[in-house]
Amino acid sequence: MTTLLLLQLLAILVAARGCGLLLRRFGQPAVVGEMAAGVLLGPVVFGQLWPATHAALFPAASLAPLSALATLGLVLFMFVVGAELRAPQGLRSQVRAAGLVGACAFFVPMAMGLVLAVWLYPALAPDGLAFWPFALFFAAAMSITAFPVLARILKDRGMTRTGVGQLSLNAAALADVFTWMLLALILALAGGGDGYAGFTRVAGGLLLIVALVFLVLRPLYAWLLRRHPLDEDGATVSFGLLLAGMLACAAATEWVGLHAVFGAFLFGACLPRDDRLLAVLIERIEHIAVVALMPIFFALAGLGMSADAFTGGSVGVLAAIVAVAVAGKVAGGALGARLAGHPWRPSLAVGSLMNARGLMELVVIKVGLDAGLIGPVLFTMLFAMAILTTVMTGPLLALLARGPRPAVQLEGGAAGGSASGGGLDT
C-alpha cells in the first residue's frame, strides 16, 4: 500500500508540474495547468485511454490516504487565504463602484443560474435532494470569482495598480464574501437533516464558532504573536499553536455540519493583519500546500469526474452551463461598472476579469459534491466550466486591449481614483 501511495503521489506531482509549466508558456496561470492535470489523471482521459493501468494506479480502495492529504492541503490553503484577506488598495476610493460591480457580478449570474437550475434539476440533481438546496448551490457555483487567481492574473499582466485591476480586485473580494456566506447557509440547510430545525442548529453552531473565533481566539493569538513573533528564533511554539488553532476551527465547522474549509478560513481571517506574519505563513505553509498537497486535491477532483458529461445530449448541457456562466459574470461585472459611471470597454474588461473562477470554483463544487448537493456528472461540467472561464480571461482582455483606446491599460488605482469608481475613465 505504501508503494502504491508513493507512485500515486509521483504521478500526481509530475502531471501537475508538467501541465502547469506547459500552460504558463501560453500565458495561463500555473493553477490552470494543475487543474487540467486533475482532468488528465481522471477517468475522462487516463481512464479512457489506459483503463487497466488507471484502475491499477488509482483503485478505489486506495484513495483514503490521498483524500486525507487533499483535505489537509485544502485546509492549509484556505487558512492562508483567510490570513491574506484584507482590504485591497484603493477600496475606500472605490466603495460605491466596487459595491455595484460586486453585487451585480454576484446577483446576475446567480439569477441566471437559478433559471438554468429549473431545467437541470430533473436530470442532474442527486436522488432525494429537494429543489432549493440544489438550485441555490448551483446558483452559488455560478457566482464565484477566484480572488487569488484574479490577483495572479493581474500581477502577471502588470495590471495590479490600474483602475480596472483595482476595481476588479475590490469587487471580487466583495462578491466572494456574498458567495461564501450563501454557501454556508446552503450547507446548513442541506446538512441539518431535519429541515429548518436542522438548519437552525447548524447555523447556530456556525454563529457560535464565529463568536469564539473573533471574540476569544483573535485577541488571544494577537497577544501570542506580539510576545513570540513567527519571524524570530524560537517561535516553534507559536507556529505549533497556530496550526492547532487552525485544525481545531476546521474540526469544529466539520462537526457542526459544514466543511472544514470554513473553519480554516475563519481562523486565518481572525489573525492580525501583519505583513511579516503573512510572509512567514506563505513561506512555511502556502508553498507546501500549493506545490505538494493541492495537486492531490485536483487529482481527486479529477477522479470524481464522469465521462458521461461529454457524451450525447450532455455536451449541450455543458455548453449551456458555460454560456450562462460567462454571460452572467461578464454582463454582471460590466453592468456594475457602467452603473458606477464608467465607459463600456473598461466595464467589459472588469466583467471579463470577474469571469475568472479558477481554484475557488473547484473548492466550492468539491464541497458541494462531498455534501451530496450535486452528482458526478454536474460536478464534471462545473469543473470544465471553471477551467474554461479562467482560460478565456486572458484572451478576452487581449481582445479588449486592441484599438486606439485600450480598455485594460488604464491608470488611476488608489492614487487617482474618485469616490465613485477609482480612475477608470478613458
Side-chain angles (χ1 to χ4, degrees):
M1 182 64 74
T2 301
T3 302
L4 179 59
L5 175 62
L6 294 175
L7 289 174
Q8 291 170 337
L9 293 175
L10 176 62
I12 290 168
L13 293 180
V14 169
R17 295 278 69 79
C19 291
L21 290 174
L22 177 63
L23 287 191
R24 285 194 69 175
R25 296 177 64 89
F26 294 93
Q28 295 294 336
V31 68
V32 176
E34 294 161 9
M35 292 169 65
V39 178
L40 294 178
L41 291 172
V44 174
V45 179
F46 188 12
Q48 290 291 318
L49 296 176
W50 300 284
T53 305
H54 182 269
L57 184 58
F58 295 108
S62 72
L63 298 183
L66 285 180
S67 179
L69 289 172
T71 300
L72 177 60
L74 190 57
V75 165
L76 289 171
F77 175 77
M78 292 302 295
F79 166 55
V80 178
V81 169
E84 288 179 322
L85 184 66
R86 59 195 69 201
Q89 286 186 328
L91 178 59
R92 291 183 179 180
S93 66
Q94 291 187 334
V95 169
R96 176 176 175 271
L100 286 170
V101 173
C104 290
F106 173 76
F107 286 109
V108 171
M110 181 180 175
M112 296 177 69
L114 285 174
V115 172
L116 185 58
V118 176
W119 177 48
L120 299 179
Y121 176 73
L124 294 178
D127 293 338
L129 182 66
F131 171 75
W132 280 111
F134 170 84
L136 287 172
F137 177 82
F138 181 77
M142 294 285 104
S143 303
I144 198 73
T145 295
F147 184 87
V149 173
L150 175 57
R152 189 180 303 182
I153 290 173
L154 292 172
K155 184 176 181 179
D156 291 345
R157 292 180 170 269
M159 294 175 58
T160 303
R161 297 190 62 83
T162 65
V164 165
Q166 291 192 8
L167 178 57
S168 300
L169 278 175
N170 293 330
L174 294 174
D176 279 3
V177 168
F178 295 150
T179 304
W180 283 102
M181 290 173 60
L182 176 61
L183 182 60
L185 292 174
I186 296 168
L187 288 174
L189 181 61
D194 50 358
Y196 287 102
F199 168 78
T200 302
R201 185 179 65 252
V202 175
L206 177 60
L207 290 175
L208 179 60
I209 292 172
V210 170
L212 289 173
V213 166
F214 286 95
L215 297 180
V216 178
L217 296 185
R218 182 175 185 176
L220 178 62
Y221 276 89
W223 173 83
L224 174 68
L225 293 169
R226 283 196 304 269
R227 291 289 301 271
H228 304 285
L230 290 184
D231 57 353
E232 293 183 356
D233 293 336
T236 305
V237 173
S238 297
F239 187 69
L241 290 174
L242 274 179
L243 294 180
M246 174 200 71
L247 293 173
C249 290
T253 52
E254 186 80 27
W255 181 71
V256 301
L258 299 173
H259 199 281
V261 297
F262 288 98
F265 178 82
L266 284 173
F267 182 71
C270 87
L271 296 180
R273 305 296 91 180
D274 185 336
D275 290 338
R276 294 182 305 165
L277 170 62
L278 182 59
V280 173
L281 293 179
I282 290 174
E283 178 183 356
R284 297 187 185 181
I285 293 180
E286 186 177 52
H287 291 163
I288 189 68
V290 171
V291 173
L293 297 178
M294 288 306 292
I296 304 173
F297 171 74
F298 295 138
L300 279 181
L303 291 172
M305 297 178 73
S306 170
D308 293 340
F310 304 101
T311 59
S314 297
V315 175
V317 177
L318 173 60
I321 290 174
V322 173
V324 168
V326 174
K329 273 294 186 182
V330 175
L335 174 63
R338 280 294 293 167
L339 291 175
H342 302 301
W344 270 115
R345 293 190 69 198
S347 297
L348 288 170
V350 170
S352 300
L353 286 165
M354 298 295 289
N355 189 44
R357 288 174 172 85
L359 172 60
M360 300 309 292
E361 176 74 25
L362 189 52
V363 172
V364 168
I365 62 175
K366 187 65 168 65
V367 169
L369 180 66
D370 293 342
L373 294 170
I374 55 175
V377 173
L378 185 54
F379 172 82
T380 303
M381 295 177 179
L382 292 173
F383 195 135
M385 180 270 288
I387 296 177
L388 291 173
T389 54
T390 306
V391 166
M392 68 176 58
T393 300
L396 283 175
L397 289 175
L399 180 63
L400 291 166
R402 296 175 183 173
R405 303 174 72 190
V408 297
Q409 298 296 329
L410 303 173
E411 300 296 335
S418 66
S420 63
L424 285 182
D425 298 332
T426 53

